[in-house]
Structure formats: C-alpha cells, structure tokens
Amino acid sequence: MKKILSIFYLFATASTTSAQATDGGAVLSPGKLRAKGEEAMLGGKLDEAQQYYKEAAKAEPDNALNHYRLFRVHNRMKRYAEALKDVTTALTLAPTKQDYRKAKIKLLKSLGQCEQALEELGALEGEEELKVDIRMCASEIEAAEKAIFDKDWQAASQYLGSVLKRVEQATDLTFQRAQALFHLEDYYGCISDLGRVLKAHSSHLEAYELRGDAYMKLGEHDMAITHYRECLKMDPEHKGCKAGHKFVKGIEKRNKKAQAFFDEGKYKEAIEKWWESIKMDVDHVWWFRFLLLKIVKAHSKMGEHDKAIEEAQKHINHMESVEGLLALGEAQIVAEKYDEAVHSYRRAEEIAPDDQKRNCQQKIKEAEVALKQSKEKNYYKILGVDRGANKKEIKKAYRELALKWHPDKNADNKDEAEKMFQDIGEAYEVLGDEEMRGKYDRGEPVFENQGGGGHRGDPHQFFRQHFNHGGGGGGGQRFHVKFG
C-alpha cells in the first residue's frame, strides 16, 4: 500500500498543476505548500500558486494566512470576486490584522464599492489619506445616484467620471456612466464604456442592448444588429434586444424599398418610403439627417427645386455640417442658383476637416464654372438635364428635343428651329462624350479654336448618325424618321 501511495505522490509532483506535492515521499505541510506557492508567485506561475494555496487552506481552513495568500494570487489573476471572498474570510479569522483590512478596503475601492469600504474604515488605524479618498469616492457615488434619480445626466456623468478615475474594475459604475452618456447623446463615449463592461462581463445582456441602441443612434445598423443578436443568443426572449432588432430591420427594409424606387426613377414613391422610415422614430436624429439628404436628391430629380433647397436648409438649420452644405449646394446647382451654390460650397470648405477640404474646393470650382457657363451657352440647360445626369438621361433628352425641333417639323418657325436644332446637337456632342463633358465641366475649351461658337459640324448629319442603334456605327437597325 505504501508503495502504491509513493508512486501516486511521485506522479503528482511531476504535474505543474498538482494539488498534492511531496518532499521525499511525504505530503507537504501547509507551511511548505505556502512556500511553494510563494515560489510559484515569484515565477509568475499563478495557476500553480493558486493550487498550492488552495491545498494549504484545505489543510488549515482556520489559518487566515492561507486565505490571505489566496487573495493575493486571485487579485493578481484579476479574479476579483474570489479575491474579495478570500480577504473577507482572512479578516473574519484575524479581525485585528491591519494589513488584511487595508487590503480589503483597497480592493473594495478598486471595484467601486466605496460605500462598503467606508464601513471598514472604523477599524483601520492611521491611513488618513486612504480614508479621505474612500470618503470622497463614497460621496461622489451617492451624488451620482441622486443625479441619476433626478435624471440629471450631465451631473451623473461628471460624478461617475470622477469616481472611475479612482477605481479599476467598477463595471456597474461604468455601465451607469454609459447610460448617462447615452442620454446625453454621446454615443461614442457610451460605446467605449460598454466595451469595457463587456470585456469584464461577456454575458452582460443590458450592455449588449444599450451598445446596440448606441450604434443604432449613430446609424451603424449592422453593428447594432450584431449586438442585439449576441444578446438574443443568450436570451432569445430578451424584450429590449428583440425590440431593437425588429426596429432596425424595419427601418432598413423601408430604406431599401425607397432606394429601389429611386433607382427606378419613381422619386415620389421613394420620398414617401423614406418619410415612413423616418416617422418610425422621430428621435432617431442621425437617421433623419441621413435620409433627408436622400429626399433632397429625389426632389431635385423631380424638378421640385424649391422643395429640395427647403429640405436641405432644414438639414443645415438642425445642425450645420459639411454634407448638409454640399447637398444644399448641389440642389442650388440643379436649380441654376449658381451664386448661392458657390456660397454654400465655400461655407462647407470653411468648416470641413482637412481630409474633406479638397472635395469642397472642387465643388467651388465646378459651381464657378457653372456660373460662368450660365451667362454663355449652357449645354445642360439646352438639353433640360441637371449637371449630374447620366449618359442614358442625356441621350433620351437629345432624342426628344431633336425630334421636337427638327426644321422639317417646324415649317412655321424654321429659323428658330434651325438654331435650336443646332444647339441641341452641339450640346449632345459635348455632353454625350465623356472626355468633352469633363473639359466642359472644368470650364476648359471643348472645341479647337473655340471662341464661343461651338462645333462646326452639320447638325442634320449628326442627327441622322445618332438615330441609328449603336450610335451610327455599322450594322444597327435604323430609325426612319418621318415628319408631317
């Protein structure tokens, strides 16, 4: 039997995580176990040290030193709940040990439990600086709790911020500050605090919900859905996460439907759908501002220029921003209010961060070119398209206008029709060619020896060429245009 036990102890000694250690075949005493634990601690082998101290505490459960040593290793391992239990046990067994009491008070403070730490101060000798710190911490927590009750979120955030500078692992207080920051619409600060909460407690469902809500308020809907889903994995019936997930999916569904209408040229329907999405939560400010810029573009596409400018101005009046000013400038360009567009773009450049200034400067230049061209021959105006029109829209406009103003169809006002027909052909020649359109938009001459007279080709030949499928190249079906 002794031989079997000896073999067992030898095997246990070889294991780095062994709970039973031997010294020449004999089980180690509690004192030896503590010594081995200290050696492991010094070597950074915290798991091994923990096992030695646990064995010592099992052998001598009434020895406060064993529990205090366990507290030290658990504290180093950042297993604070176990560390607090260990030091409390040690202090219960040795209530006069000042080192133990001081250690417990410091741990409570680091966990943000300053009210509990305050209860321990009466039995602590000296340490006046620590006592002042604990009293201040407890006072600020009390003030923060009152501010939260009164919904004074600014005061709550300030008090909690001060407390969190004194503590280390106060996840409850960090969560409370995240709530205050959310109410203050500091969503980035809220997300940052909740990241620390979830790092310490990965199953904190309310933190997932609130972080999802903060991402939603910022319009980062994919991240919001990710957090709601993580919450629902752990609790499929969590009311807050279910509601948040359903809401985000709902407004995104309407946005996608509206965008599909917009892409199909159904601008009125798109505007209606975007307003539906906005009205699902009128307090979702970021979403309102994001969709309002889309609504501005839709009104411009419909030719409702005054309405587009009105909605863009609404965006700026709510809160001035670079994107809002650029949208206003674009709406003013389409409305041919070029002077006003230049002003809007210049204001955007004034408030733009460095990485957006170049884009604003380009917009100013384009508006100045448009202003200059408006006083000369404006090809966009001739074809009746806005400056952002695509090739398909330009070609469609040319075909309709060329048919309308063909001299053969306008016998009663042939001179006017001839001039209009030529201008229409010239406009399409420039805007239908990517390189020439780029030069025109930059304010550069588009024809050689241009002196304001435009192209010199035969507009009738140009018309016949471009009324063939394939743009006049060989082989396509011809349009046979008959007038009268």
Side-chain angles (χ1 to χ4, degrees):
M1 182 68 180
K2 287 182 179 180
K3 185 176 180 181
I4 293 171
L5 287 173
S6 178
I7 292 170
F8 171 76
Y9 289 135
L10 285 170
F11 173 79
T13 304
S15 173
T16 57
T17 59
S18 172
Q20 293 283 343
T22 63
D23 186 8
V27 177
L28 295 178
S29 67
K32 290 275 189 179
L33 288 167
R34 285 193 295 273
K36 288 283 188 182
E38 286 297 294
E39 186 181 335
M41 278 275 283
L42 289 171
K45 300 176 181 178
L46 301 183
D47 286 331
E48 190 175 325
Q50 176 190 219
Q51 291 299 323
Y52 281 124
Y53 292 142
K54 279 185 175 180
E55 281 301 312
K58 189 184 294 184
E60 286 184 336
D62 295 330
N63 188 335
L65 182 59
N66 294 327
H67 300 285
Y68 183 68
R69 295 281 176 85
L70 258 178
F71 151 74
R72 286 174 56 220
V73 72
H74 283 149
N75 202 35
R76 282 270 300 275
M77 296 170 82
K78 298 184 178 181
R79 291 163 61 169
Y80 298 114
E82 293 173 76
L84 183 57
K85 180 181 176 183
D86 296 332
V87 74
T88 300
T89 301
L91 197 55
T92 301
L93 294 169
T96 62
K97 292 287 286 186
Q98 291 294 300
D99 287 349
Y100 295 179
R101 192 167 301 281
K102 181 179 176 181
K104 181 179 180 181
I105 290 169
K106 282 188 170 183
L107 177 59
L108 286 168
K109 173 179 167 285
S110 75
L111 295 173
Q113 299 178 26
C114 295
E115 300 95 328
Q116 293 91 321
L118 200 60
E119 296 172 4
E120 301 284 343
L121 289 185
L124 183 66
E125 299 172 4
E127 302 293 342
E128 293 306 317
E129 188 176 338
L130 176 60
K131 289 178 179 179
V132 169
D133 194 26
I134 295 297
R135 290 189 183 105
M136 182 65 73
C137 177
S139 175
E140 288 175 334
I141 289 174
E142 184 179 2
E145 289 172 348
K146 183 179 185 305
I148 291 170
F149 181 80
D150 294 337
K151 296 184 179 180
D152 184 350
W153 304 115
Q154 188 64 51
S157 173
Q158 289 173 349
Y159 283 124
L160 290 167
S162 180
V163 172
L164 289 170
K165 290 176 183 177
R166 303 173 185 274
V167 303
E168 296 174 16
Q169 284 292 324
T171 51
D172 288 346
L173 298 179
T174 305
F175 181 76
Q176 287 180 333
R177 186 173 70 167
Q179 290 176 309
L181 293 173
F182 183 88
H183 287 291
L184 292 169
E185 299 182 8
D186 181 359
Y187 301 121
Y188 288 110
C190 173
I191 288 167
S192 178
D193 273 356
L194 292 171
R196 286 188 282 275
V197 172
L198 289 170
K199 186 176 180 181
H201 297 288
S202 59
S203 59
H204 198 306
L205 299 182
E206 284 68 33
Y208 278 112
E209 178 190 358
L210 187 57
R211 208 168 193 233
D213 291 346
Y215 274 120
M216 182 269 291
K217 289 292 187 182
L218 289 170
E220 298 185 31
H221 291 164
D222 288 343
M223 287 296 291
I225 287 173
T226 295
H227 281 74
Y228 293 140
R229 284 177 177 169
E230 284 299 316
C231 168
L232 293 171
K233 282 180 187 177
M234 291 177 271
D235 181 4
E237 298 304 317
H238 191 282
K239 287 185 179 180
C241 292
K242 279 183 77 174
H245 187 270
K246 181 179 179 181
F247 171 75
V248 174
K249 295 289 282 186
I251 61 175
E252 278 291 355
K253 182 179 179 181
R254 284 165 177 77
N255 175 42
K256 288 176 182 175
K257 183 67 174 175
Q259 190 61 53
F261 279 137
F262 183 90
D263 294 340
E264 293 167 8
K266 298 177 180 178
Y267 304 119
K268 182 179 178 182
E269 292 87 342
I271 291 169
E272 289 172 356
K273 271 295 174 194
W274 275 322
W275 278 114
E276 272 185 34
S277 184
I278 288 169
K279 288 174 183 176
M280 286 184 69
D281 181 5
V282 293
D283 295 325
H284 191 346
V285 175
W286 186 95
W287 190 240
F288 163 72
R289 290 173 61 78
F290 173 70
L291 293 188
L292 193 57
L293 296 182
K294 290 176 175 280
I295 289 168
V296 169
K297 286 187 178 181
H299 280 301
S300 289
K301 287 288 188 182
M302 291 175 71
E304 297 176 349
H305 304 307
D306 289 343
K307 189 65 177 176
I309 291 169
E310 177 189 331
E311 298 291 19
Q313 194 64 58
K314 189 187 296 182
H315 190 282
I316 293 163
N317 292 343
H318 176 265
M319 184 173 66
E320 189 177 54
S321 65
V322 175
E323 60 268 23
L325 286 162
L326 293 180
L328 176 60
E330 184 178 338
Q332 289 165 337
I333 287 282
V334 176
E336 299 180 10
K337 298 183 178 183
Y338 304 116
D339 278 318
E340 294 176 27
V342 171
H343 175 77
S344 298
Y345 289 145
R346 282 180 177 161
R347 177 56 186 158
E349 184 195 16
E350 287 175 11
I351 67 170
D354 290 342
D355 62 341
Q356 294 184 37
K357 284 192 180 295
R358 182 175 292 180
N359 181 46
C360 295
Q361 290 162 0
Q362 180 62 33
K363 292 291 184 182
I364 293 169
K365 185 177 179 181
E366 290 172 1
E368 289 173 340
V369 168
L371 176 60
K372 179 184 175 185
Q373 290 170 345
S374 69
K375 298 171 182 177
E376 300 168 351
K377 186 177 287 188
N378 187 331
Y379 293 139
Y380 289 104
K381 191 171 183 178
I382 289 169
L383 291 184
V385 297
D386 64 60
R387 299 182 77 87
N390 59 40
K391 290 184 74 172
K392 185 177 179 181
E393 291 169 330
I394 290 168
K395 188 172 185 177
K396 182 174 182 288
Y398 167 69
R399 286 180 177 275
E400 290 174 355
L401 290 170
L403 286 171
K404 177 182 177 181
W405 287 100
H406 196 285
D408 290 351
K409 195 177 180 182
N410 292 271
D412 295 339
N413 57 340
K414 198 159 188 175
D415 289 343
E416 181 189 358
E418 192 72 55
K419 184 179 183 306
M420 285 296 299
F421 189 67
Q422 181 170 330
D423 286 347
I424 291 162
E426 181 180 324
Y428 181 61
E429 183 178 357
V430 172
L431 300 185
D433 181 277
E434 189 174 338
E435 184 178 350
M436 293 176 75
R437 183 181 181 182
K439 287 182 178 181
Y440 179 74
D441 287 346
R442 292 191 295 272
E444 300 171 7
V446 291
F447 300 109
E448 290 184 14
N449 303 317
Q450 182 173 337
H455 80 151
R456 303 292 186 267
D458 180 355
H460 294 272
Q461 183 179 347
F462 187 78
F463 173 80
R464 288 191 295 273
Q465 177 185 355
H466 286 272
F467 267 77
N468 289 331
H469 279 299
Q477 177 187 352
R478 290 181 179 274
F479 282 97
H480 297 284
V481 183
K482 295 181 180 179
F483 302 108

